[in-house]
Amino acid sequence: MSKFKITKVTAREILDCRWNPTVQVDVWVNNEILGRADVPAGRSTGANEAKEIRDGEKRYAGLGVRKAVRNVCEILGPAIIGMDVTDQRKIDEKLRVTDGSKDKSNLGANALIGVSLAAARAAANAVHLPLYRYVNCNAHILPVPLLNLLNGGKLTSNDLDFQEFCIFPIGAETFSEAMAMGNAVNNELRKIVIKKYGKIAANVGDEGGFATPIVKVDEAMDFLVEAVGRAGYEKEIVYGLDCAATHFFNSETQKYTLEGNELTTAELLDYYKNLTAKYPIKTIEDPFAEDDIEGFVRATKELGIQIIGDDFLCTNPDRVRERAPLGAGNALLWKFNQIGTLSEALDAAELSYRQGFGIMVSERSGETEDPIIADLVVGLNAGQIKTGAGVRGERTSKYNRLFQIEAELGSQARYGGRDFRAAF
Ligand code: PGA
Ligand code: ZN
């Protein structure tokens, strides 16, 4: 007989950081142990992500999630009642089969992932372990934060074509030190952008980076480099970009529109070569569109830095299985709601590691204060996390959870640092 029986599953509509509704799920074990999880939402989404369900009614501009909540309470919940909560793979399989679609569109990826994560939390609580340790008894690596200090693309209202301009404090000694460095750079950056564009330049975008009305990629990079220099961390900090190229790719002309120019894959690659020669950029996410395999293969081979697949891989084991062996990218952006259950997301991570890929665990632009990715990045020993700038509560909740984990691990904690792809 199961010791840790799921006895009740409930859900409700709550809000994410964009004032849009999202799903929160409670999984109860033996009527006394609770696991709760919130579901994040993307805005700059890939076409191949699992599909969330939205109500499409007048309230909340169509974005209500009452249907998804009903699907949890009336269908997915009852389907897993009585199961052993520590049997994550079986639970997730049951969720998948109950949904019955390939992309989770029948009952909603936002319903499935909520149940899946709440079950994992409930299981960890039931066995009295922090979640990071429940998923991995060898969890000990604190991630390097890829700090998104300037926002563009779909995540803000300026005209920068790339979505995220980040600093990557690989030379810090610890996670805590990296966060303090990030703060020093951000303070300098605020002064720099205000001096050039006035006070309005220091308003922030969806992930907490400044939404300065910059147009040129080089100008954004120059600002970051100047801020890092003024803070005195040239030796410790390198740079990262999320180009989110799917969103400036025109599938009809098969060209990329960058700063008003129409570029082919080869021309965009040349652009990246110049850019990475000019600035110490060590990681680029989605440099090419979600199905531009050639672009990814060439970027991986010719740029010699970390090339991360977000829209390109969609945390989907099938896409990783197909694309990783081609040398298309060398890192996975890990977002569990792109696939819809925790076990499938863990499969995507395992497959990636076995192909020699790195893993960057990521927030979505629409987050709640649920810090679950902090536990999961340590659980995966991934060594890198992307969860925005430390100026908004739904981002600081992740960083604050990482401070707790760092303290809990004590002398066993190891910071990803310069070996962020393979620190042990
Ligand atoms: P999203 O964007 O969460 O809106 O999809 C973030 C990203 O592209 O990494
Ligand atoms: Zn991205």
Side-chain angles (χ1 to χ4, degrees), residues 41-45 155 163-164 207 242 285 310 333 335 363-365 386:
R43 172 168 280 168
S44 155
T45 49
L155 301 185
Q163 194 167 277
E164 299 169 7
E207 293 177 355
D242 178 6
E285 178 182 327
D310 174 12
L333 195 76
K335 293 170 164 173
E363 64 182 349
R364 301 307 305 245
S365 51
K386 183 176 90 159

Side-chain angles (χ1 to χ4, degrees), residues 134-155:
Y134 171 69
V135 301
N136 180 0
C137 67
N138 188 39
H140 68 290
I141 294 174
L142 269 290
V144 181
L146 184 68
L147 299 161
N148 178 5
L149 300 189
L150 278 169
N151 288 189
K154 280 189 173 261
L155 301 185

Side-chain angles (χ1 to χ4, degrees), residues 357-377:
F357 270 43
I359 293 179
M360 166 96 60
V361 169
S362 174
E363 64 182 349
R364 301 307 305 245
S365 51
E367 277 289 334
T368 74
E369 56 285 2
D370 186 333
I372 197 162
I373 58 168
D375 279 74
L376 294 173
V377 71

